[in-house]
Amino acid sequence: MPTTHARRYATNAVMTTLTAACAFFAVAVLVLILGYIAYRGLGAISFQFLIETPKPVGEGGGIGNAILGTLILLAMACVVGMPFGIATGIYLAEYGAGRFASLVRFLTDTLTGIPSILVGVFVYTIIVLPMKQFSAMAGGVALAMIMIPIVARTTEEMIRLVPASLREGALALGAPQWRVTTGVVLPAAASGIVTGAMLAVARVSGETAPLLFTAFGSRFFNVYLDQPMASLTVQIYNYAISPYDEWHAQAWAATLILMTLILVINITVRFFTRGKI
Amino acid sequence: MIAPRAAAPPPEQQQQQQATAQAKVSVRELNFFYGTAQALFNISLDISERLVMAFIGPSGCGKSTFLRTLNRMNDTIPGTRATGEVLIDGEDIYAPGLNVVNLRRRVGMVFQKSNPFPKSIFDNVAYGLRINRLTTNKTELQDRVRQALEDAAIWSEVKDRLKASALGLSGGQQQRLCIARALAVRPEVLLMDEPASALDPIATQKIEELIVELKKQYTIVIVTHNMQQAARVSDVTAFFWLGKLIEVNATEKMFTNPNEKLTEDYITGRFG
């Protein structure tokens, strides 16, 4: 039946073109954004810009403290968020059956959808108000809270992908359940878990709203966790809403730096975990 | 399945002896349920030491389920339940308080689909030794890994790449690696669930030769869909049908002159 075949080939051609076009537009938007940020940002970047603290308009200044602040905040978010997130994911996938697990799963999903500004306000209430001051610690906790549900659910999904036959193989050798989880299941799911963790890092590194209420921002280099701390996103926000062209240019440059930072973190983690998993 | 005996004791004692002294595994009136669906009906069976017993029967007849009751692997499936007794060396493995982890070390298992861990070849075989703390000495660990790989007839193929990932091996090699992994902890009984069903004829032949070799040291129970395979490797064959044990007999007798009409029909290909 040649007619049916002709139709099949036509449908195939149309659908292939359509999906390719969609893929092209999706990537094109991303490339445009990246390209435009590089175009606007590159001009303001210099070595001074990367290491100096902000200065009044017209005197130059840089984002060194904000880069450091973002790194500290992200590290803190990871230290607090990853263990909770990964442990929750392991519980849900390996041990969680029944109503408590369903409840945890439902709440985790809900938490993923909560606007990040609410997390900021919440942490403001429970940490900033009692301490009577903005602090890096509060910022780290806020970012961790956004991270936990993402890490938990990706960890759960990745662990579920580990075939049951691997677990049975380990159990059949006389391995207790916890050794099956730590020795066989987690290593098998590790690369997926790392991907999920990296997505979570990328996601929170772009957060501004929760930091406005918590880490607040600072014009100085600061490494003390009980003090307000600068971050790239808050810096970008402050510069972007200012009326000065110079600060606008610096905001573009800081955006470019932030993106590069995420990229570098991602590549570094993948490089160091590549051989092991 | 009665082995020749030097001096013939009186009949009652003979029966007694067969049940306790000679049978490595002794199953008494075993019923098994998946939820409310009964999968095994009133199964009683003795498995003798240092022999190969094959389970045959059509798909879904319960042979794999039965095999998995022997190391309580079915415990991992929620909602399952067993009644009756499974005695290994006279000890009921379904008795409350029995250490399942310990049981599974004594009763090893090789699965239908090879399931090497995503670790190196060495670490796969060493896994059981390490988790059970069977050896803490590094040289001894290496020796036992080597011994297990030799016993599983795969040593010569992997000796130069013990640190390479096990996932890079071919299907037949992976399955022999899984056998080596099971042998490393020196189980008393080895359960094999269609160990060659996914392998080509050459790899299958290697596994079969291996089984014949292994029965000198181990008690082996093998589930197979391939009746020629059962005939080639086993000493005793058990035929399952719809969750019931229809007939157990010496393999030679089973394939030439079975007692049950149903067995004959199945073996000659009239159904299943």
Side-chain angles (χ1 to χ4, degrees), chain B residues 50-52 210-220:
Chain B
R50 282 162 220 257
L51 284 182
V52 178
L210 183 59
I211 293 170
V212 174
E213 194 57 35
L214 289 174
K215 79 169 179 186
K216 292 172 189 163
Q217 298 179 59
Y218 301 92
T219 303
I220 297 176

Side-chain angles (χ1 to χ4, degrees), chain A residues 163 165-177 179-180 183-184 187-188, chain B residues 68 73 76 101 104-105 107-109 111 115-119 127 131-132 181-182:
Chain A
S165 64
L166 276 188
R167 294 187 180 83
E168 289 196 335
L171 286 172
L173 288 167
Q177 181 67 50
R179 302 243 12 194
V180 177
V184 174
Chain B
R68 289 164 60 97
M73 212 59 211
T76 58
V101 166
R104 292 188 184 135
R105 199 189 70 62
V107 184
M109 188 164 195
F111 296 83
N115 53 356
F117 304 135
K119 299 171 184 288
Y127 183 80
I131 54 160
N132 291 300
R181 191 173 69 186

Side-chain angles (χ1 to χ4, degrees), chain A residues 62-114:
Chain A
I63 55 166
N65 61 334
I67 295 176
L68 180 72
T70 287
L71 288 176
I72 293 176
L73 286 168
L74 283 182
M76 224 184 335
C78 289
V79 168
V80 179
M82 292 291 174
F84 277 103
I86 292 176
T88 308
I90 293 171
Y91 172 76
L92 289 177
E94 292 286 284
Y95 302 89
R99 290 173 64 183
F100 177 66
S102 310
L103 183 70
V104 172
R105 208 169 281 126
F106 174 73
L107 290 179
T108 324
D109 282 348
T110 314
L111 215 58
T112 316
I114 281 185

Side-chain angles (χ1 to χ4, degrees), chain B residues 36-247:
Chain B
T36 52
Q38 188 164 2
L40 296 175
F41 297 85
N42 214 24
I43 292 185
S44 295
L45 174 73
D46 283 347
I47 300 170
S48 309
E49 199 159 11
R50 282 162 220 257
L51 284 182
V52 178
M53 179 178 270
F55 293 169
I56 60 169
S59 294
C61 70
K63 23 182 219 311
S64 286
T65 302
F66 180 61
L67 190 78
R68 289 164 60 97
T69 60
L70 302 181
N71 65 346
R72 289 186 53 178
M73 212 59 211
N74 288 324
D75 289 15
T76 58
I77 305 168
T80 55
R81 188 164 61 86
T83 66
E85 283 184 335
V86 177
L87 308 171
I88 295 182
D89 289 336
E91 186 191 4
D92 185 6
I93 63 167
Y94 281 91
L98 179 120
N99 186 341
V100 182
V101 166
N102 217 354
L103 164 75
R104 292 188 184 135
R105 199 189 70 62
R106 293 172 58 202
V107 184
M109 188 164 195
V110 175
F111 296 83
Q112 178 172 4
K113 207 172 147 275
S114 62
N115 53 356
F117 304 135
K119 299 171 184 288
S120 73
I121 293 170
F122 184 90
D123 286 343
N124 260 277
V125 183
Y127 183 80
L129 298 168
R130 284 183 177 140
I131 54 160
N132 291 300
R133 298 236 173 87
L134 293 183
T135 171
T136 45
N137 180 319
K138 206 178 164 197
T139 328
E140 198 192 332
L141 181 75
Q142 284 170 343
D143 288 347
R144 286 190 67 168
V145 168
R146 178 183 177 148
Q147 188 61 47
L149 287 166
E150 279 174 355
D151 288 349
I154 191 179
W155 170 253
S156 59
E157 290 158 65
V158 299
K159 65 171 189 281
D160 298 324
R161 47 169 173 158
L162 292 174
K163 287 210 168 77
S165 170
L167 302 180
L169 297 171
S170 75
Q173 289 173 327
Q174 286 191 4
Q175 190 64 306
R176 275 179 289 146
L177 179 72
C178 291
I179 294 175
R181 191 173 69 186
L183 295 179
V185 297
R186 297 191 184 146
E188 296 157 38
V189 181
L190 187 61
L191 310 175
M192 305 178 104
D193 191 356
E194 297 186 49
S197 68
L199 304 180
D200 67 39
I202 294 170
T204 303
Q205 195 191 342
K206 281 194 178 161
I207 303 265
E208 287 181 9
E209 286 166 359
L210 183 59
I211 293 170
V212 174
E213 194 57 35
L214 289 174
K215 79 169 179 186
K216 292 172 189 163
Q217 298 179 59
Y218 301 92
T219 303
I220 297 176
V221 187
I222 177 173
V223 167
T224 178
H225 262 123
N226 180 332
M227 275 179 279
Q228 285 77 23
Q229 184 170 65
R232 281 192 299 260
V233 302
S234 72
D235 304 292
V236 182
T237 300
F239 171 56
F240 287 81
W241 185 68
L242 297 179
K244 296 187 178 74
L245 177 61
I246 305 299
E247 181 174 355

Side-chain angles (χ1 to χ4, degrees), chain A residues 16 21 38 65 79 88 97 99 119 146 154 159 184 248 250 263:
Chain A
T16 311
N65 61 334
V79 168
T88 308
R99 290 173 64 183
V119 175
I146 299 168
T154 37
I159 289 180
V184 174
H248 289 169
Q250 293 196 350
L263 198 69

Side-chain angles (χ1 to χ4, degrees), chain B residues 247 249-261 263-264 267-268:
Chain B
E247 181 174 355
N249 229 323
T251 299
E252 210 165 305
K253 171 110 167 68
M254 195 81 157
F255 284 97
T256 49
N257 185 22
N259 293 337
E260 301 290 328
K261 177 81 170 62
T263 314
E264 190 183 337
I267 287 170
T268 52

Side-chain angles (χ1 to χ4, degrees), chain A residues 124-170:
Chain A
Y124 177 82
T125 317
I126 61 159
I127 297 184
V128 177
L129 283 185
M131 284 178 67
K132 297 197 171 62
Q133 107 172 312
F134 293 109
S135 65
M137 200 177 67
V141 169
L143 294 185
M145 282 183 61
I146 299 168
M147 236 170 169
I148 289 171
I150 306 174
V151 175
R153 285 314 296 260
T154 37
T155 303
E156 184 192 357
E157 298 301 324
M158 290 306 141
I159 289 180
R160 280 189 191 285
L161 287 181
V162 177
S165 64
L166 276 188
R167 294 187 180 83
E168 289 196 335

Side-chain angles (χ1 to χ4, degrees), chain A:
Chain A
M1 287 179 281
T3 43
T4 354
H5 276 273
R7 249 187 95 164
R8 258 195 237 165
Y9 282 122
T11 315
N12 185 34
V14 170
M15 290 313 289
T16 311
T17 316
L18 258 178
T19 47
C22 290
F24 175 78
F25 281 119
V27 176
V29 171
L30 186 67
V31 171
L32 272 178
I33 294 175
L34 293 179
Y36 192 65
I37 291 172
Y39 164 72
R40 293 293 299 263
L42 269 178
I45 292 181
S46 64
F47 183 65
Q48 297 298 319
F49 182 70
L50 294 180
I51 59 161
E52 280 182 1
T53 53
K55 285 184 182 155
V57 183
E59 293 177 29
I63 55 166
N65 61 334
I67 295 176
L68 180 72
T70 287
L71 288 176
I72 293 176
L73 286 168
L74 283 182
M76 224 184 335
C78 289
V79 168
V80 179
M82 292 291 174
F84 277 103
I86 292 176
T88 308
I90 293 171
Y91 172 76
L92 289 177
E94 292 286 284
Y95 302 89
R99 290 173 64 183
F100 177 66
S102 310
L103 183 70
V104 172
R105 208 169 281 126
F106 174 73
L107 290 179
T108 324
D109 282 348
T110 314
L111 215 58
T112 316
I114 281 185
S116 57
I117 194 162
L118 284 185
V119 175
V121 174
F122 175 71
V123 174
Y124 177 82
T125 317
I126 61 159
I127 297 184
V128 177
L129 283 185
M131 284 178 67
K132 297 197 171 62
Q133 107 172 312
F134 293 109
S135 65
M137 200 177 67
V141 169
L143 294 185
M145 282 183 61
I146 299 168
M147 236 170 169
I148 289 171
I150 306 174
V151 175
R153 285 314 296 260
T154 37
T155 303
E156 184 192 357
E157 298 301 324
M158 290 306 141
I159 289 180
R160 280 189 191 285
L161 287 181
V162 177
S165 64
L166 276 188
R167 294 187 180 83
E168 289 196 335
L171 286 172
L173 288 167
Q177 181 67 50
W178 70 272
R179 302 243 12 194
V180 177
T181 303
T182 54
V184 174
V185 175
L186 281 185
S191 76
I193 295 175
V194 169
T195 304
M198 283 301 99
L199 279 175
V201 169
R203 158 84 201 276
V204 299
S205 60
E207 288 292 349
T208 315
L211 293 180
L212 283 172
F213 293 91
T214 52
F216 187 67
S218 160
R219 302 189 63 79
F220 311 104
F221 271 105
N222 170 33
V223 291
Y224 299 106
L225 299 186
D226 60 342
Q227 302 289 322
M229 188 174 274
S231 63
L232 282 168
T233 46
V234 173
Q235 192 90 334
I236 292 164
Y237 172 76
N238 285 336
Y239 278 0
I241 58 171
S242 77
Y244 314 113
D245 281 342
E246 190 193 358
W247 281 10
H248 289 169
Q250 293 196 350
W252 282 110
T255 311
L256 184 60
I257 298 295
L258 178 62
M259 274 179 9
T260 316
L261 206 65
I262 297 169
L263 198 69
V264 169
I265 293 175
N266 214 321
I267 291 171
T268 315
V269 170
R270 285 195 185 281
F271 181 79
F272 282 110
T273 53
R274 188 188 45 179
K276 290 163 198 125
I277 49 187

